[in-house]
Amino acid sequence: APSNNPHNQYLLIAAQLDLSNWMTVWGAQIFFYSRVAHAVVYLAGLPMIRPVFWTIGIVGTVMIFLALFGIGA
């Protein structure tokens, strides 16, 4: 089933455009590791810390979005 997560869509667009720069690489890594940390914190039962890692993941997504338009790259 297709995902409605904008991060996935931005990565696919960047891949189709053959766009790879420091912002797309860092954005993808930040998103991935923040989601790993989010899952670990969830499993550890620390609900007050989870939004921090979710927000960090959004930062990674925004970095990829901005790179698609050549902003900051």
Side-chain angles (χ1 to χ4, degrees):
S3 173
N4 61 0
N5 183 348
H7 177 79
N8 297 337
Q9 295 164 2
Y10 299 151
L11 277 179
L12 290 173
I13 292 169
Q16 286 297 314
L17 294 175
D18 199 25
L19 176 65
S20 178
N21 57 31
W22 71 270
M23 282 189 67
T24 58
V25 172
W26 275 79
Q29 290 178 352
I30 288 170
F31 180 82
F32 175 77
Y33 289 114
S34 72
R35 297 303 293 168
V36 169
H38 185 270
V40 169
V41 169
Y42 175 78
L43 292 173
L46 302 169
M48 298 303 287
I49 301 173
R50 282 179 43 215
V52 172
F53 293 107
W54 184 83
T55 303
I56 292 170
I58 293 297
V59 170
T61 301
V62 169
M63 287 176 70
I64 296 169
F65 178 77
L66 293 175
L68 290 174
F69 293 99
I71 300 171

